[in-house]
Amino acid sequence: TALPLTRSSVIAAHALIKPYIHETPVLTSTTLSTLASTPQSADALRGTEFEGQEPARPKIRLFFKCENFQKVGAFKARGAFHAVARLGEEELRRGVVTHSSGNHAQALALAARTRGIPAHIVMPSISTPSKIAGTRSYGANVIFSGSTSQEREAVVADVIARTGATLVPPYDHPNIILGQGTVALELEAQ
């Protein structure tokens, strides 16, 4: 069961996954903020609907939420940990399955290992070797497929039929979205 996509659900997701994730830092870049704040010249506006107007003089300060410091090196860990945390005991016993060429693959493998459950990860055979190695290093059963979503999903269906594993999709699922949305709560607070 999934919670609705609301702020209170994201707060609940954060409370659920906080023991399993890193609170990543927020950094700034004077160079990039300066570049973003540099006004265009009057010449750059020539031929546009803004020709003849004074160029805008924005004052922009960029902030970077460094999810590259997150477990598995990506925000995907947030969604995977949340999705696994929302599974029932029977689902946990049967394990999880997904298809991914890298970040979600590693994230779900780590979340499954943390909970002590099986993880079956369908990866395109053209996946980056380091992503395959990373996924395997978390103890996942890596199964190769073709590159198209249809090929990946067909292999996932076979794994589900054979093992009863629960599909944890790589995107577009409320539990994934809520977990990944926790990055915004941290950014806002920081």
Side-chain angles (χ1 to χ4, degrees):
T1 59
L3 299 172
L5 298 178
T6 62
R7 181 179 176 81
S8 62
S9 295
V10 175
I11 291 168
H14 194 249
L16 201 55
I17 68 170
K18 199 168 184 173
Y20 305 106
I21 61 168
H22 296 309
E23 182 174 315
T24 57
V26 175
L27 300 178
T28 61
S29 168
T30 301
T31 300
L32 293 177
S33 292
T34 300
L35 285 171
S37 299
T38 302
Q40 295 204 6
S41 67
D43 288 342
L45 301 178
R46 195 168 291 131
T48 72
E49 62 184 283
F50 304 105
E51 185 173 355
Q53 295 182 25
E54 180 72 21
R57 300 198 179 287
K59 295 294 181 207
I60 298 171
R61 187 161 180 215
L62 300 174
F63 295 87
F64 301 91
K65 182 75 167 132
C66 299
E67 285 295 287
N68 54 313
F69 296 133
Q70 188 54 260
K71 292 182 179 181
V72 309
F75 72 100
K76 293 286 194 167
R78 296 169 179 274
F81 273 106
H82 183 250
V84 168
R86 303 281 303 159
L87 295 176
E89 288 304 316
E90 180 59 26
E91 292 169 312
L92 290 169
R93 188 187 62 72
R94 292 191 314 258
V96 291
V97 62
T98 198
H99 60 89
S100 168
S101 58
N103 290 340
H104 181 68
Q106 291 178 88
L108 187 60
L110 175 59
R113 184 185 79 180
T114 300
R115 292 297 301 266
I117 64 171
H120 308 278
I121 311 294
V122 176
M123 298 184 81
S125 56
I126 62 167
S127 297
T128 305
S130 63
K131 299 287 185 175
I132 296 167
T135 303
R136 283 184 170 147
S137 76
Y138 295 121
N141 172 32
V142 175
I143 306 125
F144 293 105
S145 72
S147 300
T148 69
S149 59
Q150 295 87 351
E151 291 169 311
R152 293 191 221 185
E153 290 167 5
V155 176
V156 166
D158 289 343
V159 171
I160 292 170
R162 187 170 35 81
T163 67
T166 299
L167 174 62
V168 177
Y171 48 82
D172 202 21
H173 185 278
N175 288 333
I176 296 295
I177 295 166
L178 290 170
Q180 292 173 357
T182 63
V183 72
L185 290 178
E186 287 181 13
L187 177 61
E188 179 184 53
Q190 291 168 301

